[in-house]
């Protein structure tokens, strides 16, 4: 593609700077040295820069590229190899979000950002708190949604959206780290088994009927536990929003990749997702997310509520 920029400085001739994307270099042509061809992809006006809106074609190209990924053997093999070795090396433990360990793959964090921005939930329910970084991530995204809502409406920012985090054992130092964070006011933590009816009732009481709800499941990864979580929390997800089930990747690798854990191939979040979807037609897997990420612990685990 050729893109031309014309500028007038008031001194000397007007210069056309022409960028040829194929070569990656800039060339300079003085006005009048060569007329622009109406058949070329060139955009120019004197005094300022103009560019045709190519967003639709850009999105189409991205979609086609992801479709190519599925049949790209070397790319898929490289991604699988990296997943295997990075799981062994505990790669996901290396990252923080706004100061707290998030214990997620960066690719999955980026996917969650896209989901949250697009679906604009009012409440995010998370099972599994660990060191608190995921709660802070969700709170920061919801703060951005509140900020943009206020900017668009021309009103003061209101801390309307919030995160509810559930964990069987919220250790004192992790609780203190979350509670001392600047975003703590948007976070409610509930200590207890996520499948306990009393815990579920407490979570339900924190949600108003008109609010949009998203759920992230990332606590115990055994089949039975995740199935129970899906049966209890997926119904809280509002149509158009997502239930993200993490660590479905366990099904793809032999037990040796997860030594000393109670979950394994045949007993993990992916087997739970399959069980759940066989009984609940309100959700479907959004495969496009995993397909484009390539590196994700939630392959087949981004469930969108469609009914």
């Amino acid at each position: 593609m050729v893109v031309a920029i014309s500028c007038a400085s008031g001194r000397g001739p007007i210069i056309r700077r022409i960028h040829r994307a194929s070569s990656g270099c800039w060339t300079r042509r003085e006005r009048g040295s060569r007329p622009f061809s109406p058949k070329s992809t060139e955009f120019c006006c004197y005094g300022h820069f103009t560019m045709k809106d190519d967003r639709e074609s850009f999105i189409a190209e991205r979609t086609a590229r992801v479709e190519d990924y599925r049949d790209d053997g070397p790319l898929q093999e490289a991604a699988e190899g990296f997943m295997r070795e990075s799981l062994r090396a505990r790669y996901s433990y290396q990252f923080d979000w706004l100061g707290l360990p998030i214990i997620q793959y960066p690719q999955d964090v980026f996917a969650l950002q896209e989901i949250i921005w697009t679906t604009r939930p009012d409440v995010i329910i998370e099972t599994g708190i660990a060191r608190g970084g995921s709660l802070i991530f969700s709170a920061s995204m919801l703060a951005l949604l509140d900020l943009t809502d206020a900017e668009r409406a021309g009103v003061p920012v209101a801390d309307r959206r919030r995160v509810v985090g559930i964990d069987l054992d919220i250790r004192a130092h992790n609780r203190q780290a979350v509670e001392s964070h600047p975003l703590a006011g948007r976070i409610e933590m509930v200590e207890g088994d996520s499948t306990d009816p009393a815990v579920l009732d407490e979570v339900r009481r924190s949600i108003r009927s008109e609010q949009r709800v998203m759920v992230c499941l990332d606590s115990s990864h055994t089949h039975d536990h995740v199935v129970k979580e899906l049966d209890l929390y997926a119904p809280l997800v509002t149509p158009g929003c997502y239930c993200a089930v993490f660590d479905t990747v366990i099904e793809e690798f032999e037990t040796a990749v997860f030594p000393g854990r109670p979950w394994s191939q045949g007993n993990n979040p992916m087997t739970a997702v399959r069980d759940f979807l066989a009984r609940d037609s309100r959700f479907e897997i959004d495969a496009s997310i995993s397909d484009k990420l390539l590196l994700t612990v939630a392959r087949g685990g981004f469930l969108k509520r469609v009914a």
Side-chain angles (χ1 to χ4, degrees), residues 240-259:
C241 289
Y242 283 75
C243 177
V245 184
F246 289 92
D247 290 286
T248 54
V249 73
I250 295 168
E251 179 68 1
E252 299 180 16
F253 298 102
E254 63 275 12
T255 302
V257 178
F258 309 98

Side-chain angles (χ1 to χ4, degrees), residues 2-301:
V2 180
V3 179
I5 306 174
S6 294
C7 57
S9 64
R11 292 175 294 178
I14 295 177
I15 302 297
R16 291 174 177 169
R17 297 190 68 202
I18 303 175
H19 180 251
R20 299 185 181 277
S22 60
S23 63
C25 63
W26 286 94
T27 62
R28 293 165 55 112
R29 295 184 184 272
E30 292 190 9
R31 181 174 59 186
S33 62
R34 181 181 66 84
F36 286 115
S37 167
K39 296 181 180 179
S40 66
T41 313
E42 300 180 354
F43 309 92
C44 175
C45 64
Y46 295 114
H48 64 280
F49 171 74
T50 61
M51 170 65 91
K52 184 178 72 174
D53 187 345
D54 65 344
R55 284 173 292 186
E56 186 175 332
S57 61
F58 178 77
I59 296 300
E61 288 173 4
R62 295 205 309 190
T63 302
R65 193 176 299 121
V66 171
E67 292 174 357
D68 290 340
Y69 289 171
R70 301 187 186 107
D71 300 321
D72 189 330
L75 181 63
Q76 294 294 335
E77 184 178 352
E80 182 178 1
F82 182 83
M83 283 302 305
R84 177 187 300 277
E85 295 306 315
S86 62
L87 288 167
R88 177 190 58 77
R90 296 167 71 87
Y91 166 79
S92 63
Y93 286 74
Q94 302 307 115
F95 308 101
D96 293 348
W97 187 270
L98 299 183
L100 293 187
I102 190 169
I103 315 181
Q104 295 286 4
Y105 274 62
Q107 292 82 359
D108 285 324
V109 175
F110 219 99
L112 290 173
Q113 172 269 142
E114 291 185 358
I115 290 171
I116 294 169
W117 183 258
T118 301
T119 60
R120 307 186 77 80
D122 300 302
V123 179
I124 298 178
I125 300 168
E126 299 189 15
T127 66
I129 291 175
R131 295 183 179 273
S134 183
L135 293 181
I136 300 303
F137 165 76
S138 294
S140 68
M141 285 302 304
L142 297 184
L144 286 174
L145 294 184
D146 280 343
L147 174 63
T148 55
D149 283 352
E151 289 286 342
R152 288 168 178 168
V155 298
V157 179
D159 293 347
R160 184 172 66 85
R161 295 175 167 91
R162 67 196 185 285
V163 186
V164 180
I166 308 161
D167 204 296
L168 181 63
D169 178 21
I170 306 175
R171 297 174 184 176
H173 58 280
N174 292 331
R175 179 185 290 277
Q176 193 276 333
V178 173
E179 291 179 343
S180 63
H181 197 277
L183 291 170
R186 292 179 172 273
I187 298 170
E188 175 186 350
M189 290 184 285
V190 179
E191 187 166 33
D193 186 336
S194 58
T195 63
D196 185 336
V199 170
L200 178 62
D201 286 343
E202 186 171 349
V203 173
R204 281 176 171 160
R205 284 194 293 270
S206 68
I207 303 170
R208 297 194 300 274
S209 59
E210 76 277 9
Q211 292 182 314
R212 292 175 61 77
V213 178
M214 175 179 175
V215 168
C216 297
L217 303 181
D218 195 11
S219 57
S220 174
H221 302 317
T222 63
H223 174 96
D224 289 345
H225 185 83
V226 179
V227 162
K228 289 178 183 177
E229 285 189 330
L230 282 165
D231 286 340
L232 294 174
Y233 291 93
L236 301 181
V237 176
T238 45
C241 289
Y242 283 75
C243 177
V245 184
F246 289 92
D247 290 286
T248 54
V249 73
I250 295 168
E251 179 68 1
E252 299 180 16
F253 298 102
E254 63 275 12
T255 302
V257 178
F258 309 98
R261 299 291 191 174
W263 44 83
S264 61
Q265 283 183 321
N267 174 27
N268 57 72
M270 188 69 252
T271 60
V273 166
R274 292 168 182 163
D275 183 325
F276 172 73
L277 293 180
R279 296 180 285 104
D280 196 321
S281 61
R282 293 173 296 178
F283 289 83
E284 63 181 29
I285 295 173
D286 187 346
S288 67
I289 298 175
S290 299
D291 287 345
K292 76 176 180 179
L293 291 179
L294 291 172
L295 306 174
T296 173
V297 300
R299 184 175 300 279

